Amino acid sequence: MAAGIYPNTPKYDSYDVVIVGGAIYGASISWWLTEMSGFDGRILVVERDASYALCSTVHTNSCIRQQFSRPINIHISQFGAEFVNNFKDFMGNDERVPDLVLQNFGYLYLADTPEFAQTLETVQRLQVSEGAGTRHMSAAELAAQYPFYQLDDILAANHNTLNEGYFDGGTLFDWWKKSGRERGVEYIENEVVALGCSAAGDRVETVTLKSGEVLTCGVVVNASGPRAAQTAAMAGIDIPVEPRKRYTYIFAAEHPLDCDLPLTIDPSGVHFRSDGQYYMAGSPPEPEDDVAVLPDDFIADHSLWENKVWPAIANRVPQFEAIKLVNSWVGHYAYNTFDQNAVIGRHPRVGNFIFANGFSGHGLQQSPALGRGVAELITYSEYRSLDLASFGFDRIENNESFDEKAVI
């Protein structure tokens, strides 16, 4: 989307809902609000950069999985897969809307220790009990199905090809924005620089824009991605969400595989999968470098590919010893340092301040269900489709971790 496509100035001086951030969650929540029976309020989405050049959404790898360690995260992704598979239906059967295709080659987790193999077996049983199609596989079973892997150090694996893989997340994002705007959602290219709270500190009363306008509001939604802590601080709230770098690489193989490559999570921390005629790999920085960065820090560590990513790929798939790097980029996770799970819902004291933060790399795949949930909360003061109470901010204040172990 080109810069300047949104106006800079809001049409009104009062809104029922002001959403701070117009990337995937600003788009999802605002679109879902237009779907809610009984909601007819004004919605303003404030996006600081309408080009979206540096936002997490455009740097996503557009993957979805059901291999989580928490039942609610499994259910969230199951609805995400339902939404993708029935995208046109959900978008009102608009003839302009394309079908989305979910490429179901699945995630493949590899275990190289008895402890991790046992963990995979435990979570596989949980996932199957919640309706996922995850298989727990021995190294021999994996070798029989995918003979191109080098498995000398691998004891077991989990794999699921049922509603698990990747899809065109950009199309989903674009149509939420387009459809929402056609239904009356107002987007502006501006920046929220201050939130004015009541004397009692129990609600946000005003939103101040960088251009000087001061708006009154009914509800404020923090959908600021890696900048979530900065937005929360304007309301006097601390939230443990920070930007963390994640690297993506596109490579070509001199000797391509004769079948799709599952999204393979190697014990090294490197993951890789098919991506059309190419392959995609991803990696966090080295552990000592995986720390908070500034929201505008997208400086790449070019040694990571040579020293970590390429060696891990070539070790796991010897056929990939001859590969050529085609493209690469740095993106940010909005990383919840507390328990790597989303923070969703109202603040317990600032009652009209709503979180949609801390997705720790799961944001795009969770956006259909969590956007719907936030819209339900705003409209009906309760969750009606999935109970998202476990993601509430109060767990952070009470130091009650709701951790998600399956984080890549």
Side-chain angles (χ1 to χ4, degrees):
M1 177 178 291
I5 198 168
Y6 302 154
N8 303 116
T9 305
K11 296 178 181 177
Y12 308 101
D13 58 11
S14 179
Y15 291 86
D16 296 278
V17 180
V18 176
I19 300 176
V20 186
I24 196 68
Y25 274 86
S28 176
I29 293 165
S30 59
W31 181 84
W32 275 110
L33 280 169
T34 70
E35 287 280 291
M36 295 292 118
S37 175
F39 182 87
D40 60 359
R42 287 178 186 162
I43 306 166
L44 179 67
V45 179
V46 184
E47 170 52 44
R48 64 191 303 276
D49 178 11
S51 75
Y52 294 101
L54 298 179
C55 75
S56 296
T57 298
V58 302
H59 292 110
T60 181
N61 295 343
S62 294
C63 296
I64 187 167
R65 60 185 162 105
Q66 297 181 36
Q67 293 190 64
F68 285 97
S69 64
R70 291 285 185 175
I72 185 59
N73 279 332
I74 298 170
H75 299 159
I76 286 167
S77 282
Q78 286 170 339
F79 178 71
E82 178 187 347
F83 194 90
V84 170
N85 287 329
N86 300 280
F87 183 55
K88 201 161 191 171
D89 290 343
F90 276 103
M91 300 304 291
N93 289 304
D94 186 329
E95 62 182 13
R96 300 171 298 167
V97 175
D99 291 320
L100 291 182
V101 177
L102 181 51
Q103 306 286 345
N104 288 299
F105 48 68
Y107 282 60
L108 177 71
Y109 285 83
L110 300 176
D112 62 346
T113 66
E115 294 78 16
F116 190 34
Q118 181 59 55
T119 296
L120 288 184
E121 187 172 3
T122 300
V123 298
Q124 184 266 347
R125 289 195 296 267
L126 166 68
Q127 291 157 9
V128 169
S129 73
E130 300 297 334
T134 311
R135 298 171 56 204
H136 185 66
M137 306 172 70
S138 68
E141 289 171 325
L142 183 59
Q145 184 168 344
Y146 296 109
F148 51 77
Y149 287 119
Q150 183 285 112
L151 299 172
D152 290 350
D153 58 333
I154 298 303
L155 302 178
N158 277 4
H159 190 208
N160 175 26
T161 57
L162 176 63
N163 287 328
E164 188 166 288
Y166 82 100
F167 64 99
D168 183 356
T171 294
L172 175 76
F173 178 41
D174 287 343
W175 274 99
W176 271 341
K177 297 195 303 286
K178 181 178 180 64
S179 177
R181 294 179 73 193
E182 289 177 351
R183 296 177 179 191
V185 176
E186 185 181 343
Y187 281 73
I188 61 171
E189 185 175 23
N190 212 311
E191 186 174 355
V192 173
V193 295
L195 300 175
C197 292
S198 63
D202 60 352
R203 64 181 292 104
V204 177
E205 295 183 334
T206 61
V207 174
T208 301
L209 302 178
K210 188 174 184 178
S211 53
E213 294 89 348
V214 179
L215 314 174
T216 59
C217 58
V219 169
V220 171
V221 179
N222 184 355
S224 305
R227 297 176 184 269
Q230 296 170 244
T231 300
M234 297 178 196
I237 299 167
D238 292 324
I239 182 172
V241 175
E242 60 189 31
R244 295 281 187 93
K245 285 183 179 179
R246 290 298 182 271
Y247 292 81
T248 299
Y249 304 91
I250 305 297
F251 64 93
E254 184 175 332
H255 305 290
L257 303 175
D258 60 4
C259 65
D260 286 331
L261 175 67
L263 198 158
T264 306
I265 299 95
D266 191 75
S268 66
V270 174
H271 56 91
F272 45 96
R273 64 166 172 85
S274 291
D275 190 53
Q277 64 177 313
Y278 298 114
Y279 298 91
M280 175 181 285
S283 176
E286 294 292 359
E288 63 270 19
D289 299 321
D290 194 9
V291 296
V293 297
L294 295 174
D296 56 356
D297 177 3
F298 290 87
I299 298 173
D301 175 4
H302 296 292
S303 69
L304 193 66
W305 170 255
E306 293 286 343
N307 297 333
K308 179 180 180 179
V309 181
W310 188 359
I313 294 170
N315 173 67
R316 190 58 56 204
V317 181
Q319 196 168 328
F320 283 166
E321 287 183 359
I323 58 179
K324 179 182 179 181
L325 187 62
V326 174
N327 193 13
S328 66
W329 61 84
V330 178
H332 286 169
Y333 279 3
Y335 192 79
N336 177 1
T337 61
F338 182 66
D339 59 14
Q340 293 77 65
N341 249 322
V343 182
I344 295 289
R346 297 182 185 275
H347 188 269
R349 289 179 301 282
V350 188
N352 68 335
F353 187 94
I354 294 180
F355 300 97
N357 305 117
F359 302 102
S360 303
H362 309 139
L364 190 129
Q365 65 181 288
Q366 294 188 323
S367 60
L370 297 187
R372 178 184 63 177
V374 171
E376 290 173 346
L377 184 65
I378 292 170
T379 305
Y380 309 121
S381 298
E382 64 179 0
Y383 300 118
R384 292 191 170 181
S385 301
L386 289 172
D387 184 357
L388 305 178
S390 299
F391 298 110
F393 181 83
D394 53 351
R395 79 183 193 273
I396 297 171
E397 290 195 325
N398 297 332
N399 198 31
E400 296 173 348
S401 175
F402 186 65
D403 64 308
E404 174 53 59
K405 294 180 175 62
V407 176
I408 298 175

